[in-house]
Structure formats: structure tokens, C-alpha cells
Amino acid sequence: MKLITAVVKPHRLDEIKEALQAFGVHGLTVTEASGYGRQRGHTEVYRGAEYTVDLVPKIRIEVLAEDDDAEQLIDVIVKAARTGKIGDGKVWSLPVETAVRVRTGERGPDAL
Amino acid sequence: MNGTDTGFVLISAALVMVMTPGLALFYGGMVRAKSVLNMLMMSFISLGIVSILWVLFGYSLAFSGDVGHFIGNFDAIGLKGIDFTSTVDSFVTNAKGEPHKIAAFSFILFQMLFAVITPALMSGALADRVKFSAWMVFVALWVTLAYFPVAHWVWAPGGWLFDMGVIDFAGGTAVHINAGIGALAAVLVVGKRIGFKKDPMRPHSLPLVLIGTALLWFGWFGFNAGSWLGVDGTTARMALNTQIATAAAIIGWLIYERIRHGAFTTLGACSGAVAGLVAITPSGGHVNAFGAILIGVVAGVVCSWAVSLKYKLGYDDSLDVVGVHLVGGVIGTLMVGFLATEAGGWDQFGKQATGAFSVMGYTFVVTWIIAFAIQKTIGFRASEEDEVTGVDQTQHAETAYDFSSAAGSHISSGVTSPVAAATQSKKVEA
């Protein structure tokens, strides 16, 4: 199994969710995050005082996938998240040792 | 006694009362989330403290008789000798030129609320960093030693600026210049916030700032028009000019800001409105509509420039009390010297300048001494740790926004419910 993590622009969340549902993903976790990449932050001015806001709001999406589906799933997320402008975010995957469905105790791919 | 005039002054008093909580919100939105309650309370407490001091001796010192053209006497201590038949002269006159009479109690209430908001105006300069107990002492001493005398100078027959003929329709000198210069002196004693010019100190809620601005603007009709203490054409002109100058100042501030900094900001619009309200306060009853527009635009542009002075000069007037109230008050007070429809000219301008600068000199010295004395005795400033943690928690034992239990979880906030606490204490007793 793989854990796929995507940190993307908040307004792409609905597109990504729909694309994942269409692909057949049954569950995901979304958290609000903040950070910066090459895009860096932005500048705000209050009564003439300039503030550089380093960290910009992002959405972190986490999905567990079977090994065979992982690469395809990443493509689905990337396609749905892309606007072509700087600051679109990143997607990565990590190996997962085990997963358990709490209600039934099922383990491994059955728990997904 | 004129019922219409008395009724109008009572309604105006209620409008002025709303300005103090309005000011609290205006300032509260501009600070960081960790000190918003303290900011609100610094204004709100003035309603408590100053109302009482006004009745005990403030009214007497400001408006009862005259001692040496400097201050009132003690004849009306605790409102002694004033009852429901007592009257005060309105500025409205009848056909024979005699002033209308209004109930003394209505005048006392109206002026009480002026005394309440004036020290509250200074609180914005000291945001995030003072002990609340010290602030309460400061408010009590400041109204007694700075506000009551200056109100007497400007508004009471016998007061030296009143007798000289200085125009201060509704408090440009006694309220705004007074509070603005007091704020500067207090800031110089108390010092900068930790992280001034280094850490980001963004306003945490501009919607709160806008609500506060709206309440101030609404109440300011009572503040300005009510100062005529009755109803006639001058009252209506004052109300109309209040609207005109405020509108012009919003435009003035925003245009300057767009050119200098690239955007029309919400904070700029709100600040412009307050600058316009301040500048029209001393002048609005004595200028025509174009005078009001001119005063508003100048106040908007100049105050928008003046708020950045603190970074150049290095004093931390946190929410720009000096840049908006002192500068705006001086603009209105000086401009009416030329623009006054009846008396305008060099002669009047000289009187206006004398009024503005004598109040600045007197109040700066008095405020500096009060603040210094507090600093050296009970301590004015919160400890470094308390300031960094946030004065809401450390001065008031409260938090403004409970984000931690947004999902209904009690784990993250660790809150012990009052019921649970009560049960525990019963167990101990048993």
C-alpha cells in the first residue's frame, strides 16, 4: 500500500474530490495547511506598513491506495489540481506498512 | 426650559454613548487576536470610571464657575445644588436674541459622555502592552488633570480660550487634540511593543474595524450636532457637514493610498472616515458645504501621510491616535480659522492656533508626568512574558476566540466545565 499526499491550492479541492470519486476512491482525509514553495508569499499593506506574508493557505489531501493503483491515482490528482500557474503544489507517495479498519478489524488492502 | 432642545440633547447623549463601544470595536479589530479583549476593555472601562468621576467632581471642575480662567470651582461637587428645575443656556436663541434654556441634567449627561470617550481615544496608542490596573489609574488621573481643565478653557464661560473666542464647536481641541497629544506623551513613556517594526502585526479583523467605524460615524451626529445644545439651522448644518466631510475624507485617504501603496484598502476607508469626522468636529457649524469638502479631503490625505511618521520617527503609536486624532484635530481647528463663514481670517486663525498649541503644550507635559509617575510606582507596562503571551489571557483571564473547540472536542482545549468543577468541590467537602 501507498500513502499519497497532495498539498495543493485550496480552490482545487472540489475538482480533485470529484476526480478521485470517479476513479473509485472511497475515502480521503483533508486538512488545512500553510506553506510556501517557489511561489513564496505575498505582500499586504496596512496604513502604509508593508507585511510580507510568507506562508500561504494550502489544502493537504491524504489518500491510501493499493500499490498497483498508486501511480495512476497520482496522475488523477495532478491533472485535477493543475492550473498551470506558479503555486499549484506538490504530490508525493510513501510506502505504508499496514492499515486497519477500526470498526471491523480488517487489515491491509481490505481495510481501504 | 425648552422641551425640544432638552429632548434633542438627551437623544444626542445616547448617540455619543454608542461611540465608546464603537471606538472599542474600531481599535479591537486592528490589534492581533491575542489582545482584542484588552483593547475593547480599555475603552469600555472608561464608561465606568469617568461617568462616576464626572458626577463626583468632574462636572464641577469643568463647568461650575471659574477660578483664574483655568478651572471651575467646587460648588457643584456631587452635583450639589442642581435639581430638575436647573437650566443651562443653549446656543439656540429666540427672536429677541435670548438663549433657550435646557435642563441642566441633559447637559451634564451629554458632557459626561464626552469626558468618557476622550481618554478612551488614547488607548489605541498603548495597544497590546499595558497593565489594565495601571490603565484604570491613568484614565482617572488624566481626565482629572488634563481633560477637566482643558474642557473648562474651551467651553466654559470664564475659560481663557472661550473668552478669547476660539472656535471649538464639538471638541476638536478639547477632545481630539487633547487625546492625540496625550497619546504621544504616554507612548514615549511606555515604549514600543516587543517586535515593533520587526514582527508582523496585522489587524486581526477588518470587519470589526468597519462595524466600529459605522458606530462611531452614527454616534458622531449626536457628538457634533448635539454640541449646539438645541435645534436650529446651525444644528442641521453641523449634521450635514459631518456627513460631507467624512465622505470627502474617505475619498481623499483612498486616493492617496492607491497612489502611494497600490490598493484601496478597507482599513484606509475606515481610517479616512474617522479622520474626516475628527476634522469636521471643531469646524462643522461654521463652514459651508464646500468648506466641509475641503476640510474632509485635506484631513484624509494628510492623515494618510501622517500615520507613517511613526516608523520614521520611531515611536510606537500602535493604532495611530497621533496620526488621526492629533493631526485631524489640528487640521480642523486651524482650517476653520480661515473657512468660518462669519469670522474667518488671519485674526481668527491666530486664535485657533493659540488654542491648539496651548492645549498641546499643557497636556503633553501633564500626561508625561502622570504616565511617568505610574511607571515608577505601580508600573505601567505589562511584563515581557505577559505581553508575548497576550494581554487578554494575562490581564483578563479570557480568550476572545475559542478556535480549539470548533469541532466540539474538549480534549484540545482542556476546558473544565463549571458543572464538573462544582461536582469535584462537593466531593472534597463530603
Short mmCIF file of all heavy atoms in Angstrom, two decimals, chain A residues 49-69:
data_model
loop_
_atom_site.label_atom_id
_atom_site.label_comp_id
_atom_site.label_asym_id
_atom_site.label_seq_id
_atom_site.Cartn_x
_atom_site.Cartn_y
_atom_site.Cartn_z
N ALA A 49 2.08 50.38 6.06
CA ALA A 49 3.11 49.45 6.54
C ALA A 49 3.00 48.14 5.75
O ALA A 49 1.95 47.51 5.73
CB ALA A 49 2.92 49.18 8.02
N GLU A 50 4.09 47.76 5.10
CA GLU A 50 4.06 46.55 4.27
C GLU A 50 4.37 45.31 5.08
O GLU A 50 5.31 45.29 5.87
CB GLU A 50 5.09 46.67 3.14
CG GLU A 50 4.62 47.48 1.98
CD GLU A 50 5.42 47.22 0.71
OE1 GLU A 50 6.16 46.22 0.66
OE2 GLU A 50 5.29 48.04 -0.21
N TYR A 51 3.57 44.28 4.90
CA TYR A 51 3.84 43.00 5.53
C TYR A 51 4.02 41.95 4.45
O TYR A 51 3.22 41.85 3.54
CB TYR A 51 2.67 42.58 6.42
CG TYR A 51 2.48 43.47 7.61
CD1 TYR A 51 1.36 44.27 7.72
CD2 TYR A 51 3.43 43.50 8.63
CE1 TYR A 51 1.18 45.09 8.82
CE2 TYR A 51 3.26 44.32 9.72
CZ TYR A 51 2.13 45.11 9.82
OH TYR A 51 1.96 45.92 10.90
N THR A 52 5.08 41.16 4.56
CA THR A 52 5.26 40.03 3.66
C THR A 52 4.69 38.79 4.34
O THR A 52 5.11 38.43 5.44
CB THR A 52 6.75 39.79 3.36
OG1 THR A 52 7.29 41.04 2.94
CG2 THR A 52 6.92 38.77 2.27
N VAL A 53 3.70 38.21 3.71
CA VAL A 53 3.10 37.00 4.28
C VAL A 53 3.76 35.81 3.61
O VAL A 53 3.51 35.52 2.44
CB VAL A 53 1.57 37.00 4.05
CG1 VAL A 53 0.95 35.75 4.65
CG2 VAL A 53 0.96 38.26 4.65
N ASP A 54 4.65 35.12 4.35
CA ASP A 54 5.44 34.02 3.81
C ASP A 54 4.58 32.81 3.49
O ASP A 54 4.70 32.20 2.43
CB ASP A 54 6.48 33.56 4.84
CG ASP A 54 7.77 34.33 4.71
OD1 ASP A 54 7.95 34.93 3.64
OD2 ASP A 54 8.55 34.35 5.67
N LEU A 55 3.78 32.43 4.47
CA LEU A 55 3.04 31.18 4.36
C LEU A 55 1.68 31.46 3.75
O LEU A 55 0.94 32.29 4.25
CB LEU A 55 2.87 30.55 5.75
CG LEU A 55 4.21 30.30 6.47
CD1 LEU A 55 3.95 29.84 7.90
CD2 LEU A 55 5.04 29.29 5.73
N VAL A 56 1.37 30.73 2.69
CA VAL A 56 0.06 30.91 2.07
C VAL A 56 -0.81 29.68 2.36
O VAL A 56 -0.30 28.59 2.58
CB VAL A 56 0.19 31.12 0.54
CG1 VAL A 56 0.82 32.48 0.25
CG2 VAL A 56 0.99 30.02 -0.10
N PRO A 57 -2.13 29.84 2.39
CA PRO A 57 -3.00 28.72 2.71
C PRO A 57 -2.98 27.64 1.62
O PRO A 57 -2.96 27.94 0.43
CB PRO A 57 -4.40 29.35 2.80
CG PRO A 57 -4.27 30.79 2.48
CD PRO A 57 -2.84 31.10 2.17
N LYS A 58 -2.94 26.39 2.08
CA LYS A 58 -2.96 25.24 1.17
C LYS A 58 -3.91 24.19 1.75
O LYS A 58 -4.27 24.24 2.92
CB LYS A 58 -1.56 24.61 1.07
CG LYS A 58 -0.51 25.50 0.43
CD LYS A 58 -0.65 25.51 -1.07
CE LYS A 58 0.24 26.59 -1.67
NZ LYS A 58 -0.04 26.80 -3.09
N ILE A 59 -4.25 23.22 0.91
CA ILE A 59 -5.03 22.08 1.36
C ILE A 59 -4.15 20.84 1.24
O ILE A 59 -3.49 20.66 0.21
CB ILE A 59 -6.29 21.90 0.47
CG1 ILE A 59 -7.28 23.03 0.74
CG2 ILE A 59 -6.93 20.55 0.72
CD1 ILE A 59 -8.02 22.91 2.03
N ARG A 60 -4.13 20.02 2.31
CA ARG A 60 -3.39 18.76 2.23
C ARG A 60 -4.40 17.62 2.13
O ARG A 60 -5.27 17.48 2.99
CB ARG A 60 -2.51 18.58 3.47
CG ARG A 60 -1.77 17.23 3.47
CD ARG A 60 -0.76 17.14 4.58
NE ARG A 60 -1.41 17.42 5.85
CZ ARG A 60 -0.83 18.02 6.88
NH1 ARG A 60 0.42 18.40 6.82
NH2 ARG A 60 -1.49 18.25 7.99
N ILE A 61 -4.25 16.82 1.07
CA ILE A 61 -5.16 15.68 0.85
C ILE A 61 -4.35 14.40 1.02
O ILE A 61 -3.26 14.27 0.46
CB ILE A 61 -5.75 15.71 -0.57
CG1 ILE A 61 -6.51 17.02 -0.78
CG2 ILE A 61 -6.67 14.51 -0.80
CD1 ILE A 61 -6.87 17.28 -2.22
N GLU A 62 -4.88 13.48 1.83
CA GLU A 62 -4.19 12.20 2.02
C GLU A 62 -5.11 11.05 1.60
O GLU A 62 -6.27 11.01 2.01
CB GLU A 62 -3.77 12.05 3.49
CG GLU A 62 -2.60 12.97 3.84
CD GLU A 62 -2.40 13.12 5.34
OE1 GLU A 62 -3.40 13.43 6.04
OE2 GLU A 62 -1.28 12.94 5.80
N VAL A 63 -4.57 10.16 0.80
CA VAL A 63 -5.33 9.01 0.29
C VAL A 63 -4.46 7.75 0.41
O VAL A 63 -3.28 7.79 0.08
CB VAL A 63 -5.68 9.18 -1.21
CG1 VAL A 63 -6.70 8.13 -1.63
CG2 VAL A 63 -6.19 10.57 -1.51
N LEU A 64 -5.06 6.69 0.89
CA LEU A 64 -4.37 5.39 0.88
C LEU A 64 -4.76 4.65 -0.40
O LEU A 64 -5.92 4.66 -0.81
CB LEU A 64 -4.79 4.56 2.10
CG LEU A 64 -4.18 5.00 3.44
CD1 LEU A 64 -4.88 4.28 4.58
CD2 LEU A 64 -2.68 4.72 3.46
N ALA A 65 -3.76 4.01 -1.04
CA ALA A 65 -4.05 3.31 -2.29
C ALA A 65 -3.30 1.99 -2.34
O ALA A 65 -2.27 1.83 -1.68
CB ALA A 65 -3.64 4.18 -3.48
N GLU A 66 -3.83 1.05 -3.11
CA GLU A 66 -3.08 -0.19 -3.34
C GLU A 66 -1.92 0.11 -4.27
O GLU A 66 -1.98 1.05 -5.09
CB GLU A 66 -4.00 -1.24 -3.97
CG GLU A 66 -5.05 -1.70 -2.97
CD GLU A 66 -5.75 -2.96 -3.45
OE1 GLU A 66 -5.03 -3.89 -3.90
OE2 GLU A 66 -6.98 -3.01 -3.37
N ASP A 67 -0.84 -0.68 -4.16
CA ASP A 67 0.38 -0.40 -4.90
C ASP A 67 0.13 -0.23 -6.40
O ASP A 67 0.66 0.68 -7.04
CB ASP A 67 1.41 -1.53 -4.70
CG ASP A 67 1.95 -1.51 -3.28
OD1 ASP A 67 1.82 -0.44 -2.62
OD2 ASP A 67 2.48 -2.54 -2.81
N ASP A 68 -0.73 -1.08 -6.98
CA ASP A 68 -0.97 -1.05 -8.43
C ASP A 68 -1.68 0.22 -8.87
O ASP A 68 -1.51 0.67 -10.00
CB ASP A 68 -1.82 -2.27 -8.85
CG ASP A 68 -1.05 -3.57 -8.62
OD1 ASP A 68 0.18 -3.46 -8.39
OD2 ASP A 68 -1.68 -4.63 -8.64
N ASP A 69 -2.51 0.78 -7.97
CA ASP A 69 -3.29 1.97 -8.34
C ASP A 69 -2.52 3.26 -8.15
O ASP A 69 -2.91 4.32 -8.67
CB ASP A 69 -4.56 2.06 -7.48
CG ASP A 69 -5.51 0.91 -7.78
OD1 ASP A 69 -5.38 0.33 -8.87
OD2 ASP A 69 -6.36 0.63 -6.93
#
